[in-house]
Amino acid sequence: MTRRQPPTVNEPTDPGAGLRVPVRHRARLREQGPVVAVVAVGGAVGASARYGAALLWPTAAGAFPWTTMWVNALGCFVIGVFMVVITDVWAAHRLVRPFFGTGVLGGFTTFSTYAVDIQRLVDGGRVRAGLVYLAVTLLVALAAVWLAVALARRVLAWRMR
């Protein structure tokens, strides 16, 4: 393993902190810091909404996880509309896509819970239900994105007439 050499005397550093941190690293942090922050805030919003959906429509232990499947389908539908809007209609601020697309919708759609739900169904002896859930959720999510993109583009074309 090669260790990074300390900055040379000619390489700019951060004198205020007394650390030898190259300035280019500060510039990268200044550029990426807001993106990381908006993804984190958006993720908290999306995950809270997903949690709210689970509270409103709880899934009994061992039952088919309808709530997770429909949350994922809804999130994928919104992702499809959002992508059409920000690529075909609106020149969004550079932080909108990471906030809403990656953060809010990434936190709202819950493919990690989807995987846990599959495992719970299989561990509970409901292998067939787990496999059905695996396939149906994937198909529903892909169909939701495709349908959203098609509908959004059709609505845009209709509005342009």
Side-chain angles (χ1 to χ4, degrees), residues 1-5:
M1 185 161 117
T2 306
R3 292 186 60 144
R4 180 168 157 42
Q5 296 296 320

Side-chain angles (χ1 to χ4, degrees), residues 2 15 19 24 30 32-34 44 52 58 70 95 98 102 106 123 125 134 137 141 147 150 152 155 160:
T2 306
L19 300 174
R24 68 177 178 267
R30 200 171 316 133
Q32 293 298 316
W70 291 118
L95 296 178
T102 305
D123 287 349
L134 179 123
T137 297
L147 180 63
V155 167
M160 299 301 253

